[in-house]
Amino acid sequence: MSAVILAADDIQVAQNIGFGIIAAIMVIGALKVVTSKNVVHAALSLVLVLSGAAAQYILLGAEFVAVSQILVYVGAVMVLFLFGVMLTRAKLGKETDLDQPKAWLGVPVALLMLGVLAWVLIDGFQDERLPADATSKAAVEISDSVLGPALVPFLALTFVLVAAVIGGIVLARKD
Amino acid sequence: MIAALEGPPIGWFDLSPLLVLLGAALVMLVVGALLPRWPRGLYAAFTATAAGATMVLAMVLWDDVSDQGARYLVGDAVTLDGFSMFATIAIAATVLLACLVTDDYLRREQLDGPEVYALYLTAGIGGIVMAMANDLVVLFLGLEVLSLSFYVLAASHRRRSAGQESAIKYFVLGGFASAFFLYGAALVYGGTGSVRYDEIVAAVNTTLLVERKDALVLAGVALLIVGLAFKVSAVPFHFWAPDVYQGAPTPVTAFMASAGKIGAFAAMLRVLTEALPQWRDDWRPVVWTIAVATLAVGSILAVVQTNVKRMLAYSSISHAGFILVGVEAAGHTAGEADPSGGVAASMLYLLLYAVLVMGTFAVVSLVGRTGDDQTDLDGFRGLGRTRPALALGMTVLLLAQAGVPLTSGFVAKFGVISAAVDQRSYAIAIVAMLASVIAAFLYLRIMVSMWIVDAEAGDDAREAVRTPLSTSLAVVLSVGFTLVVGFAPGWIVSAAEHATTIATAVAP
């Protein structure tokens, strides 16, 4: 089945193989995040998943999104995670009490969500393809729209930051 | 060559309600940090003044809109219309009342400072942006501003661990709900090619009917409803509400129950009726189901609580059910030139409920005494003897929440139920009436505790309930408003109808 798809004329074989490999790495990484007994290992597996997502964005020709993904998630968020682990827990080895006894309840919910969303996406986009010359001007377009039609959402982000900064002050201030 | 960048026209005056609040929040932070502690009450007075100015500006703009018609602002990102000005006035009113209640609370707990007021202002900004948004991304940003402020406000009493716990719960669940909302917005964008409400509506004729991306949009609508239903604490997304309402400082609880509901319901009404009217036959049954579940669960579980803050949390869930009845009624005619009264009834309900709940929690905050922890029913025992005026005010507010005639609660409930009946949604109207009968029992329990239950040994040893000036003023204002609207509802009903007709003039 997959071989048939790969052999079709208008399919970019290299991209598809790349997609498959990265996707497999991401799935394994995601499983590791929830099954690992070691918090630091779980965090590092998450790095794998997030970098994989960035790689997929590059395959889609969205290099700006990919770079932001690396900067924000792999760079900032992960460092915060690791700092958080470092600063709050002395123990860095395996732990036994990480698993919730009712964790299995999440499995059917996750499978249901996966099924519905996968069906929705397949049904929604059916056999649409990215144009083969999708080497994008995405960064230029994004910067133009951020300073043009999307200026207001961009400025509204400052409201979010103001709220977050005030929140940080309130929570961190000593009496 | 680089072309000169042209930003969208801004329309500064049209945005003035937001800018006043933002300016006040920044002044509060910067000046509050640079100067030593302001004289007592000044933080609250300053914030209340800003909120009052916002109300006045919103009224001026409302007048302007009814002359010149509704319009989009700043690159079509937000809508200036009667609907958004009505929501702005309501949210500013809650900020004002919240300041009055908070001033006494913070001084009693020795926490006085500018931060809480700055967070009220940013939360107000978030709520107003949600009500004004014409764009799912702008709406999401408003939602985040509102939510971030609430998370921190819930934890703002740093010595109470209950507050910290409730803030963490709210933060984790709220982040989850925001993710649902964002995923929904992404799917709607995938299906229609736009996040702007008017373009989503226009897209149905081009992309959607030709390319058949119905499933994509429907899944998006479902996730949007999940995200917004969480914010209004509708069943089955209500689990956070009782814990958070109970754990948060009481004035903050009051503010969450009022401003949070106004912002989230205004956003829900706008998204469902302005962006997604073509799917109204798909989302209306969902809203119907959520409304019925919310009414039933909220009313029944409210009755079995013993903590008054928790009771009022469940009662606010049940009130959310009533507002959803109005949303359901609006769903019958969404997108039509002559809309039903559902939108107007829901907005009116929000305003009246916000004032009511503010007053009610103001009394709870006084009865909570120092430490804010005597909020069990026992804490209210004997209030009718020691503080008859306060108990009388509370009684009026509780009667209004129960929907007794000659109070604003009756006007609100009558509005949504008659909107439902107009659309022949008889079943939901009957459920709503039954729920209000069940919920009445809960308000009676508080009244019985205040007036009838005998004093017990040790009652006199408890700290006396004090009635400081500004909180009393808040109670008097909301009781006054409740009675005025109850006796003479005509003007405010027609104001709500006027506001929402200007709104729908925008919809294509």
Side-chain angles (χ1 to χ4, degrees):
Chain A
M1 170 73 183
S2 58
V4 178
I5 293 176
L6 286 178
D9 278 349
D10 56 339
I11 299 281
Q12 294 160 318
V13 178
Q15 276 87 336
N16 269 306
I17 293 174
F19 170 82
I21 294 173
I22 300 169
I25 294 176
M26 286 174 71
V27 171
I28 294 169
L31 286 174
K32 275 284 193 193
V33 174
V34 287
T35 54
S36 172
K37 295 262 181 237
N38 186 323
V39 185
V40 178
H41 289 182
L44 291 175
S45 308
L46 194 57
V47 173
L48 209 59
V49 180
L50 296 173
S51 325
Q56 304 285 27
Y57 289 137
I58 291 179
L59 280 183
L60 291 170
E63 76 278 354
F64 181 80
V65 186
V67 172
S68 327
Q69 168 92 5
I70 297 271
L71 282 180
V72 174
Y73 283 98
V74 184
V77 173
M78 282 319 300
V79 170
L80 277 183
F81 260 140
L82 293 178
F83 263 128
V85 172
M86 251 172 61
L87 293 177
T88 51
R89 320 180 67 120
K91 211 167 106 192
L92 283 181
K94 281 190 181 178
E95 289 183 52
T96 48
D97 56 347
L98 279 180
D99 283 330
Q100 272 281 331
K102 287 184 183 159
W104 56 270
L105 272 176
V107 175
V109 177
L111 286 178
L112 185 74
M113 282 295 282
L114 175 71
V116 170
L117 289 176
W119 178 74
V120 158
L121 291 178
I122 291 169
D123 179 80
F125 292 101
Q126 303 200 352
D127 46 5
E128 284 178 42
R129 299 256 179 281
L130 275 184
D133 54 347
T135 52
S136 66
K137 313 180 287 286
V140 178
E141 277 169 18
I142 287 174
S143 68
D144 277 355
S145 70
V146 159
L147 293 174
L151 183 63
V152 180
F154 188 63
L155 289 182
L157 268 179
T158 57
F159 291 164
V160 180
L161 293 180
V162 168
V165 166
I166 301 173
I169 295 171
V170 172
L171 294 183
R173 198 183 71 148
K174 289 204 182 74
D175 274 316
Chain B
M1 196 193 111
I2 299 169
L5 184 75
E6 275 200 41
I10 304 291
W12 294 105
F13 183 68
D14 292 346
L15 287 176
S16 54
L18 280 174
L19 295 176
V20 166
L21 290 182
L22 182 65
L26 294 178
V27 166
M28 187 71 95
L29 275 186
V30 174
V31 182
L34 293 180
L35 294 186
R37 190 164 296 276
W38 294 8
R40 58 174 267 164
L42 199 57
Y43 296 123
F46 180 77
T47 314
T49 312
T54 304
M55 288 171 78
V56 172
L57 286 168
M59 284 174 197
V60 172
L61 284 172
W62 186 350
D63 186 49
D64 183 57
V65 167
S66 46
D67 287 344
Q68 309 197 357
R71 50 188 177 269
Y72 294 127
L73 301 178
V74 272
D76 299 351
V78 293
T79 317
L80 180 73
D81 58 7
F83 180 94
S84 55
M85 286 307 106
F86 191 84
T88 304
I89 292 170
I91 290 176
T94 64
V95 173
L96 202 157
L97 289 174
C99 288
L100 293 179
V101 183
T102 310
D103 183 45
D104 290 326
Y105 175 85
L106 288 184
R107 252 180 293 125
R108 194 169 65 224
E109 305 290 320
Q110 290 163 354
L111 287 168
D112 202 15
E115 302 91 349
V116 170
Y117 298 106
L119 284 167
Y120 283 165
L121 291 167
T122 51
I125 294 168
I128 294 171
V129 168
M130 285 175 83
M132 291 181 89
N134 180 42
D135 184 321
L136 289 173
V137 176
V138 176
L139 167 55
F140 177 72
L141 291 173
L143 181 76
E144 281 304 285
V145 176
L146 184 80
S147 309
L148 278 175
S149 311
F150 280 168
Y151 303 147
V152 180
L153 278 172
S156 60
H157 194 318
R158 286 180 301 279
R159 293 189 302 273
R160 283 181 75 222
S161 60
Q164 317 286 330
E165 184 193 330
S166 75
I168 287 286
K169 272 182 192 159
Y170 193 19
F171 178 56
V172 172
L173 291 175
F176 215 56
S178 298
F180 271 106
F181 181 89
L182 206 52
Y183 209 153
L187 288 178
V188 168
Y189 178 73
T192 61
S194 180
V195 285
R196 271 181 43 191
Y197 300 172
D198 48 336
E199 289 179 357
I200 291 174
V201 171
V204 75
N205 301 320
T206 52
T207 23
L208 210 66
L209 295 180
V210 182
E211 297 180 19
R212 308 292 311 161
K213 287 183 176 169
D214 230 17
L216 210 58
V217 180
L218 282 178
V221 174
L223 293 178
L224 287 179
I225 292 180
V226 171
L228 290 172
F230 176 88
K231 284 293 158 204
V232 302
S233 65
V235 176
F237 313 105
H238 66 288
F239 290 100
W240 60 275
D243 287 351
V244 174
Y245 280 25
Q246 188 183 359
T250 311
V252 169
T253 310
F255 187 62
M256 277 182 192
S258 49
K261 274 213 169 43
I262 298 171
F265 264 115
M268 184 187 264
L269 280 165
R270 239 199 226 291
V271 169
L272 291 181
T273 62
E274 281 186 25
L276 306 164
Q278 280 103 351
W279 289 274
R280 70 183 194 205
D281 292 332
D282 299 301
W283 56 253
R284 200 167 43 75
V286 177
V287 173
W288 192 95
T289 316
I290 295 178
V292 169
T294 308
L295 284 166
V297 171
S299 308
I300 292 169
L301 289 187
V303 173
V304 299
Q305 306 300 323
T306 55
N307 183 296
V308 171
K309 276 169 92 176
R310 230 178 149 74
M311 274 182 186
L312 291 174
Y314 278 105
S315 116
S316 101
I317 293 173
S318 142
H319 282 290
F322 278 97
I323 303 168
L324 282 167
V325 171
V327 178
E328 200 266 352
H332 284 273
T333 53
E336 287 172 18
D338 181 24
S340 81
V343 178
S346 308
M347 290 309 286
L348 182 62
Y349 200 115
L350 282 169
L351 172 65
L352 300 181
Y353 172 68
V355 176
L356 267 183
V357 81
M358 258 311 170
T360 316
F361 275 113
V363 178
V364 176
S365 142
L366 293 179
V367 175
R369 301 175 178 94
T370 310
D372 200 14
D373 48 8
Q374 305 217 25
T375 51
D376 281 346
L377 265 183
D378 294 342
F380 283 78
R381 195 174 51 223
L383 193 67
R385 202 164 9 82
T386 53
R387 288 279 172 198
L390 189 66
L392 192 65
M394 182 71 165
T395 308
V396 172
L397 292 168
L398 291 173
L399 287 175
Q401 290 219 30
V404 171
L406 297 182
T407 61
S408 65
F410 176 75
V411 178
K413 286 197 162 84
F414 182 79
V416 289
I417 290 176
S418 66
V421 169
D422 282 347
Q423 300 302 325
R424 297 163 187 272
S425 290
Y426 297 120
I428 201 172
I430 291 169
V431 172
M433 285 188 250
L434 284 177
S436 73
V437 173
I438 298 172
F441 184 68
L442 129 91
Y443 306 117
L444 273 179
R445 278 186 71 191
I446 305 178
M447 285 183 244
V448 166
S449 177
M450 285 192 305
W451 294 104
I452 298 176
V453 174
D454 289 330
E456 286 176 19
D459 271 9
D460 295 333
R462 289 186 306 188
E463 182 186 343
V465 175
R466 280 193 298 270
T467 49
L469 181 67
S470 68
T471 308
S472 313
L473 183 62
V475 176
V476 167
L477 280 178
S478 59
V479 169
F481 183 77
T482 302
L483 292 176
V484 167
V485 171
F487 280 97
W491 60 280
I492 201 153
V493 173
S494 56
E497 276 165 7
H498 178 246
T500 46
T501 40
I502 318 177
T504 43
V506 167

